[in-house]
Amino acid sequence: MNINVPRGTEDLLPEQTKRWQVIENTFKRLAEVYHYQEIRTPIFERTELFQRGVGDSTDIVQKEMYTFEDRGGRNLTLRPEGTASVARAYVQHKLHGKVDQPSKLYYIGPMFRYERPQQGRTRQFTQFGIEAIGSADPAIDAEVIAFAMDSYQALGLKSLKLVLNSLGDKESREAHRQALVNHFTPYKNELCGDCQNRLEQNPLRLLDCKVDRDHPSMKNAPSILEYLNDYSSNYFEEVKKHLDAMEIKYTVDETLVRGLDYYTHTAFEIMSESEGFGAITTLSGGGRYNGLIQDLGGPEMSGIGFALSIERLLMALDAEKVELEQPKELDCFVITLGDEAKYASSKLVNTLRKNNLKIDQDYLGKKMKAQFKAADRYNAKFVVILGEEEVQSGVVNVKNIETGEEQSVEFDDVARLIKERV
Ligand code: HAM
């Protein structure tokens, strides 16, 4: 029996990684533009981190974690998301004590959730995310949202919808929680088993239930927006004013609750509105988490961030038929004819590479025509033809494939000539 990849995971072959690199480079460039710096945390963490950080009553913690005991008996979990890890690192390394505040961090890496695999939902997926920790200024909420939108727009996506809500502060949430309990308790026996537990543990999660989504009690469930206290509703207004100032369009959706427990105040999601897009239309999500740093043993510091998965981003690119512009693979392909030329070719290829040029040559003894074809496939800018005659004279012909322009130069001058033109 052949061994294939585990369910819900995939191999990315060079045809695909080329696109991934364009995307990742775009994110890294945007991170520079928005002044965020990279953080890398371990792929696995102590299970307790996610229980406390993401929340014991969330689907992620209850049903989706890859948890295992290592040989030393430690309880570990493959990270299902990045925010809890970044918050842990922030506390552990006392980043709040550094001069540069807020800490503006980004990450790209694999996350793991045991979900039912379908289009846009895999068990290993790659998130790009940012976290800005140490500021409770509504302007930074708008910055994070702008960055999230830019992550798609910079790649050429257009059919996007930004959905916004506020989950309020602790006091507002408590008032809303009580209202939810009062509202749903009369229907308790009609709700699914999970929701019956949610009613006790975390009633907000009821609004996120996929089973009871169409139960009549969902329609007129109390809206968080009616329970925001003055501070929370002012904060929400301020965030919206900053978005207006940036001319970023949004729709307020009071039913948007997000699937993780750490959120306070701003919560948002970006959806694809493209026709060819699959059933899962959420491309990314994020929000503010003002209690998380404290819950993990740090000082009272507020944070906000968002994360997208590259897998869903690729679905959106396909749905909108966006072709990513890919850099040329090769600066020059060296075409070699005859045994004598092979040593000269090795030398030339080596010199060109030492000059930081992207170079390849034939290793299959192909005829000249086939070597030209290879140069074409690799999208090379130049070809150099190296046969016995060239070895004798020490002069080669450098041809620009696009313009057809040719120039004869000595071996030692090839690197300079190509460098001038690329
Ligand atoms: P999340 O909504 O759980 O939030 O995930 C963010 C994004 O990750 C989703 O919108 C989706 O693009 C992608 N994603 C999630 N699960 C899968 C999956 N099984 N397959 C493919 N893509 C998936 C978070 O993870 C928060 N940490 C975001 C955040 C950062 N909030 C504040 N800071």
Side-chain angles (χ1 to χ4, degrees), residues 23-36:
I23 292 168
E24 288 167 3
N25 289 338
T26 304
F27 293 156
K28 287 178 185 167
R29 188 180 53 75
L30 279 178
E32 285 179 17
V33 168
Y34 281 83
H35 195 209
Y36 282 68

Side-chain angles (χ1 to χ4, degrees), residues 60 80-83 107 113 115 120-123 125 127 130-131 152 258-260 262-263 269 282-287 289 304-309 311-312:
I60 295 180
E81 59 107 48
T83 311
Y107 48 89
R113 295 185 195 176
E115 295 190 270
R121 189 161 279 159
T122 49
R123 290 184 173 167
F125 55 97
Q127 275 191 350
I130 66 169
E131 312 293 346
Y152 299 109
R258 309 273 302 123
L260 305 95
Y262 46 63
Y263 291 115
E269 284 186 351
T282 304
L283 291 175
S284 59
Y289 43 86
I304 176 156
F306 92 97
L308 61 79
S309 75
E311 288 79 359
R312 284 196 201 166

Side-chain angles (χ1 to χ4, degrees), residues 175-186:
H176 183 229
R177 179 195 155 95
Q178 199 48 54
L180 288 169
V181 172
N182 296 345
H183 174 80
F184 282 110
T185 301

Side-chain angles (χ1 to χ4, degrees), residues 10-223:
E10 62 175 347
D11 294 317
L12 297 176
L13 303 178
E15 260 326 294
Q16 289 140 305
T17 51
K18 272 189 231 163
R19 290 178 89 199
W20 280 66
Q21 285 171 1
V22 173
I23 292 168
E24 288 167 3
N25 289 338
T26 304
F27 293 156
K28 287 178 185 167
R29 188 180 53 75
L30 279 178
E32 285 179 17
V33 168
Y34 281 83
H35 195 209
Y36 282 68
Q37 288 177 330
E38 188 179 12
I39 182 165
R40 299 188 193 195
T41 62
I43 301 279
F44 56 82
E45 297 269 2
R46 283 173 52 191
T47 301
E48 207 189 333
L49 172 67
F50 303 114
Q51 288 169 334
R52 267 209 269 162
V54 174
D56 258 330
S57 62
T58 58
D59 277 0
I60 295 180
V61 170
Q62 289 197 346
K63 302 179 187 166
E64 297 172 359
M65 293 208 300
Y66 279 92
T67 297
F68 59 98
E69 211 173 80
D70 75 1
R71 287 168 195 269
R74 297 170 197 89
N75 198 306
L76 302 171
T77 292
L78 298 184
R79 60 183 187 191
E81 59 107 48
T83 311
S85 303
V86 172
R88 182 213 32 80
Y90 180 89
V91 174
Q92 182 173 341
H93 303 286
K94 298 191 172 54
L95 296 188
H96 44 86
K98 299 258 192 273
V99 255
D100 293 331
Q101 294 299 332
S103 297
K104 300 196 344 180
L105 306 163
Y106 82 88
Y107 48 89
I108 304 180
M111 307 292 161
F112 305 86
R113 295 185 195 176
Y114 190 82
E115 295 190 270
R116 197 168 59 80
Q118 51 187 299
Q119 218 205 5
R121 189 161 279 159
T122 49
R123 290 184 173 167
Q124 174 174 334
F125 55 97
T126 306
Q127 275 191 350
F128 165 65
I130 66 169
E131 312 293 346
I133 309 178
S135 164
D137 181 344
I140 206 159
D141 298 47
E143 172 178 290
V144 167
I145 293 171
F147 193 151
M149 291 297 282
D150 244 359
S151 309
Y152 299 109
Q153 287 161 342
L155 289 162
L157 285 172
K158 294 200 172 71
S159 303
L160 303 165
K161 183 178 172 187
L162 169 64
V163 182
L164 190 64
N165 193 18
S166 169
L167 299 174
D169 62 4
K170 219 172 166 184
E171 187 187 76
S172 312
R173 290 167 64 110
E174 195 39 57
H176 183 229
R177 179 195 155 95
Q178 199 48 54
L180 288 169
V181 172
N182 296 345
H183 174 80
F184 282 110
T185 301
Y187 306 103
K188 187 171 176 184
N189 295 333
E190 297 168 29
L191 300 173
C192 73
D194 277 348
C195 276
Q196 296 189 5
N197 290 332
R198 287 171 184 139
L199 193 52
E200 320 235 299
Q201 291 180 355
N202 188 351
L204 192 68
R205 290 265 75 79
L206 274 154
L207 304 177
D208 211 19
C209 179
K210 288 158 198 122
V211 181
D212 288 326
R213 195 169 26 201
D214 298 324
H215 188 276
S217 62
M218 291 290 169
K219 280 201 187 68
N220 55 352
S223 155

